[in-house]
Amino acid sequence: MSTKTATVRHTGFGLRLSVRTGTGHTITLDDATGNAGPRPSELLVAALGGCAALDVLPILAKKRQEVTGYEVRVTAQQRDDPYPHVMTRIDVLHVVEGPELEVEAVRRAIELSATRYCTATAMLASGV
């Protein structure tokens, strides 16, 4: 079993927070007023896209698919009221470029990420 940790500290400015992950990385979080960093909900969306990319790219490499460009575009709809402002819909678009990509290989890599490998997808799938 793997344990992930983060320490979140108030910086003393508005609602600005400093996050230090267990692996030593630092992220600034903030609200719309201070706007010195992303909101936590934005990080959820970013984590989903990053998780998918970190799955899809190695799968395509194993399938000997030459990828010359890759982007994951994640769009989430977030409820305004009532609290909590849960996400009600998330769309994930993979844009993959390469000289001779096999459509089926790309489709399968995305499917494997979405249904088997991506931790973020598994966590969000139960309620989104």
Side-chain angles (χ1 to χ4, degrees):
M1 180 181 292
S2 176
T3 301
K4 306 298 181 201
T5 63
T7 302
V8 180
R9 288 195 175 95
H10 183 245
T11 65
F13 299 102
L15 291 178
R16 190 171 307 156
L17 305 169
S18 176
V19 180
R20 184 166 180 84
T21 68
T23 54
H25 299 279
T26 304
I27 303 165
T28 298
L29 300 178
D30 208 345
D31 67 350
T33 303
N35 201 31
R39 304 339 153 237
S41 57
E42 290 177 307
L43 286 183
L44 284 172
V45 173
L48 178 60
C51 186
L54 290 173
D55 292 336
V56 170
L57 287 170
I59 293 169
L60 290 175
K62 286 180 186 175
K63 292 178 177 283
R64 294 191 166 96
Q65 298 295 299
E66 182 184 349
V67 176
T68 57
Y70 181 68
E71 191 173 282
V72 181
R73 299 175 189 162
V74 184
T75 304
Q77 299 299 317
Q78 191 175 20
R79 185 173 68 190
D80 290 329
D81 284 312
Y83 283 103
H85 300 296
V86 298
M87 293 177 190
T88 58
R89 178 185 174 103
I90 299 176
D91 294 306
V92 180
L93 175 67
H94 297 259
V95 180
V96 187
E97 299 173 356
E100 296 181 28
L101 291 172
E102 297 171 17
V103 172
E104 182 56 29
V106 172
R107 187 200 64 74
R108 182 67 178 143
I110 293 168
E111 178 184 36
L112 284 170
S113 173
T115 62
R116 184 181 285 174
Y117 298 121
C118 181
T119 303
T121 300
M123 294 297 297
L124 292 171
S126 63
V128 176

